[in-house]
Amino acid sequence: MFTRRALMAAAAVTAIVAGMPAKADDISKLPREHVELVAPPFIHAHEQATKAGPKVIEFKMTIQEKELVIDNEGTKIHAMTFDGSVPGPMMVVHQDDYVELTLVNPETNTMAHNIDFHSATGGLGGGELTLVNPGEQVVLRWKATRAGVFVYHCAPGGPMIPWHVVSGMNGAVMVLPRDGLKDETGKQIKYDKAVYIGEQDFYVPRDEKGKFKSYESAGEAYPDTLEVMRKLTPTHVVFNGKVGSLTGKNALTSKVGERVLIVHSQANRDSRPHLIGGHGDYVWEAGKFANPPEKDLETWFIRGGSAGAALYTFREPGVYAYVTHNLIEAVELGATAHFKVEGTWNDDLMKQVSPPGPIGGGARTGALEAPAQHKH
Amino acid sequence: MQASAPSCPRGGDGALAKRTTSRQEVLVFLALHGKLAAKLIFAATAPLVLAATGPDWREAPDRVPVVHVAAGSFDYRIAGAFDREGRPVDAPVRRFAVGRGLAVMKTQVTVADYDRCVAFGGCAQRTAKTGQRPDAPAVGVSWQDASAYARWYAKATGKAWRLPTDAEWAYVAGSRFADDAVTSDDGSGSFARRWLAKYDEESGRTAVEKAPRPVGGFGENERGVADLAGNVWEWTDTCYLRQGLDAEGEPTGARTVNCGVRVVEGAHRAYVTDFIRDARAGGCAVGIPPANLGFRLVRDEPSRTRRALGRLQSWLARA
């Protein structure tokens, strides 16, 4: 580790020097806007379409290595995070904007980190230019040339890459077409609300009794974790960093008639989102907005290392479960979110014509008493 | 596996509804007529049996601390799923009488107790990974496990120990019984309104720690019964019931009873399939599920006739 760290430090210095923005005049004249990021499932305020010209959008993320509880049993991991959340915050810009990210690695951290934007061109997505050691920061600018939702993740080299990613270091960028999202005919489509669901696979080692182990530090957890990772069988598959982070009191909310854009990212592993009781009205399964959306999907596929977007208008009130439709992962491993939807029930779409009751009748009726097998 | 899960797509516990009305009919028949037969047989043979078994076994000390809960009656919201004009509603409240009083295990059946049953071949191994302390409640047991224990324990002690009914549990629990009315549903609007209200109430349940405490760790209620509504839920013998109600809240139409799902009681009421040993939530269910599944047993206090026979036997033994 120490030899590696020394190498990384050297690499980081090179990276910073090489990455000094040679600001061309035209870019320096562009308007600049600083945007404060918010933790998922929320997304910072943004315009869906814009008449303004390209801008330089400034974001800042501080890398936080911290212990996180990832399930209801109190299982802890030494997470690595962009800005403190798993997944990291979503950044929204428009096509042809410039993203200017300040990435801070505080001295309190123990490892070198960087960021690889799938939406950026060259330099290993920025990974080559952003390796920062504890106590350093770096500023990277890249041009948003392609519209869509894209993953970003930490990729600090070699076996550190998958480990950092499955420790939580990933997030997503949404590059909107300047004139907004469009249906297959090119007509603009809008959403009333957008939510960001980041799916995360965790690989937590167990002791001889099968109980999840905890470790003093990330470094101590690494060898055992790597062993679990190499079996390719996650112990947890969760949305937004923790089992139940989007259910119960944290459930997402909507109302009948509301158009909701659901952005789903998975930086490491395939997934298949499905909205129980709903559909994908318009789905950019591969997440790239230059392609016409698919319509009326029941389940869509998120390739590992990509993000997708689905637009849905809720038509009935009630509870909807948003899951990955490997139901073992959804129920046993945690990948479930809920939408609580208010509104008026539409009998035309669904009605319980006859409530559950005995088959064919002939069952007992009469006075109710506390049902019991033991009479007194 | 909670049958009460409000947002579950169909096909969960419903698919397990293997024992329905017909079985319940048979059980009720046996309960009524079998009791009569048992009474006759007992009256005829009691003196012989008593003479053969020596001192009155009904007066023999119990192997575990027992609380005697006096006879009485109370109003209680019965367990089950009820609907009015197709819309789910709260279960009706009914007066329930405990006619003869109950002897109740003061604490839940412990690991040591349960493992004794396993050692004697009366019970299946538990699957719980926690609660291995011998003085902690036995958890990770299904209704089938608990029933097997009751059969074994009744045989071992010669006393008619059994699982309580839901109503008996509620009576014994007293102030620790949690009413499960959906209070934020005013009965108006579609079923979805109630669905969402129930979701919110279930989401509001506070989490309890999972690891069982040694028995007594959750204190006693006003009747002196320990650990009710702690972090170990208790199996009852009551089956899942579904019934339509009319405008007055009286039953209307046919009723179904599914004994493949039993009521478990604790900090909240839940419906759990009888072979389940860990009532985890997940998927479409919401809220805090029962943290652990355990049980305690009850038995009816002896009737006047039996008590009189006991006194006669003691007198005969002294003479």
Side-chain angles (χ1 to χ4, degrees), chain A residues 109-353:
Chain A
N109 285 345
T110 61
M111 285 168 277
H113 300 283
N114 68 352
I115 189 165
D116 164 3
F117 284 100
H118 288 190
S119 45
T121 306
L124 302 178
E128 187 61 20
L129 306 179
T130 51
L131 193 71
V132 277
N133 282 286
E136 295 178 333
Q137 71 171 40
V138 63
V139 181
L140 176 78
R141 190 190 68 223
W142 54 269
K143 187 173 186 179
T145 54
R146 295 159 204 273
V149 283
F150 298 84
V151 159
Y152 66 77
H153 63 91
C154 187
M160 292 295 108
I161 300 171
W163 184 43
H164 283 225
V165 170
V166 301
S167 297
M169 273 191 109
N170 59 86
V173 171
M174 178 155 72
V175 181
L176 288 164
R178 297 204 80 79
D179 53 355
L181 300 177
K182 284 170 274 323
D183 69 10
E184 75 285 0
T185 66
K187 204 177 123 220
Q188 196 190 343
I189 38 181
K190 289 186 176 173
Y191 47 88
D192 301 306
K193 179 191 265 185
V195 295
Y196 172 33
I197 296 176
E199 183 180 320
Q200 181 69 56
D201 42 333
F202 288 122
Y203 302 82
V204 186
R206 297 174 193 265
D207 64 18
E208 323 74 56
K209 286 181 188 160
K211 262 187 92 176
F212 288 122
K213 285 170 84 169
S214 57
Y215 298 84
E216 282 297 307
S217 67
E220 282 163 82
Y222 176 64
D224 288 357
T225 306
L226 185 61
E227 216 173 295
V228 183
M229 285 162 57
R230 293 189 71 153
K231 292 193 173 75
L232 304 177
T233 305
T235 55
H236 299 73
V237 178
V238 302
F239 294 151
N240 293 25
K242 182 183 188 297
V243 175
S245 66
L246 298 175
T247 63
K249 281 181 176 166
N250 310 315
L252 301 160
T253 58
S254 187
K255 54 192 184 224
V256 170
E258 191 170 56
R259 299 164 296 182
V260 181
L261 184 74
I262 306 167
V263 179
H264 189 121
S265 71
Q266 223 307 2
N268 191 60
R269 203 168 163 273
D270 296 344
S271 179
R272 52 204 84 165
H274 172 88
L275 181 64
I276 302 178
H279 302 92
D281 291 336
Y282 297 96
V283 181
W284 292 269
E285 185 174 335
K288 307 306 168 273
F289 297 137
N291 306 303
E294 287 191 87
K295 289 166 76 174
D296 302 334
L297 298 197
E298 58 176 316
T299 297
W300 41 105
F301 189 69
I302 304 296
R303 300 137 181 83
S306 79
L311 185 66
Y312 183 61
T313 302
F314 286 100
R315 291 153 171 91
E316 290 278 30
V319 180
Y320 291 74
Y322 178 90
V323 299
T324 177
H325 213 289
N326 176 324
L327 296 169
I328 303 163
E329 294 181 9
V331 178
E332 296 291 331
L333 302 189
T336 298
H338 291 161
F339 281 92
K340 292 192 300 178
V341 180
E342 297 284 347
T344 307
W345 185 262
N346 178 356
D347 277 342
D348 184 46
L349 287 171
M350 183 179 284
K351 182 171 170 57
Q352 187 179 52
V353 177

Side-chain angles (χ1 to χ4, degrees), chain A residues 248 338 340 364 366 374 376, chain B residues 25 168 199-200 237 255 300:
Chain A
H338 291 161
K340 292 192 300 178
R364 293 185 310 143
H374 299 279
H376 297 269
Chain B
E25 298 282 7
E168 287 169 343
Y199 182 96
D200 284 341
D237 235 0
R255 180 183 312 166
D300 300 307

Side-chain angles (χ1 to χ4, degrees), chain B residues 28-66:
Chain B
V28 170
F29 180 88
L30 283 176
L32 293 173
H33 301 272
K35 199 168 162 183
L36 182 66
K39 262 184 188 166
L40 290 169
I41 292 165
F42 184 82
T45 60
L48 293 171
V49 173
L50 291 175
T53 51
D56 181 7
W57 49 264
R58 284 177 307 278
E59 300 303 324
D62 286 292
R63 296 177 71 165
V64 294
V66 168

Side-chain angles (χ1 to χ4, degrees), chain A residues 73 206 209-211 246-249 251 276 317-321 323 330-332 336-345 352 355-359 361-376, chain B residues 7 9 21 24-25 27 31 35 76 78 82-83 86 92 94 96 129 162 165 167-168 190-193 195-196 199-200 203-204 237-239 241-242 245 251 253-257 259 262 280 282-286 300:
Chain A
E73 276 69 58
R206 297 174 193 265
K209 286 181 188 160
K211 262 187 92 176
L246 298 175
T247 63
K249 281 181 176 166
I276 302 178
V319 180
Y320 291 74
V323 299
V331 178
E332 296 291 331
T336 298
H338 291 161
F339 281 92
K340 292 192 300 178
V341 180
E342 297 284 347
T344 307
W345 185 262
Q352 187 179 52
I359 302 160
R364 293 185 310 143
T365 57
L368 265 184
E369 45 192 285
Q373 295 200 2
H374 299 279
K375 304 280 173 184
H376 297 269
Chain B
S7 49
T21 314
Q24 185 76 355
E25 298 282 7
L27 289 171
K35 199 168 162 183
Y76 134 97
I78 65 178
F82 295 84
D83 59 83
R94 287 289 184 274
F96 178 77
K129 291 181 184 124
R162 57 176 174 80
T165 64
E168 287 169 343
S190 70
F191 86 98
R193 187 81 287 287
W195 186 14
L196 289 164
Y199 182 96
D200 284 341
S203 303
D237 235 0
T238 298
C239 302
L241 165 87
R242 198 200 290 276
L245 299 175
R255 180 183 312 166
T256 42
V257 177
C259 290
R262 301 281 170 155
R280 288 173 304 120
C284 45
V286 73
D300 300 307

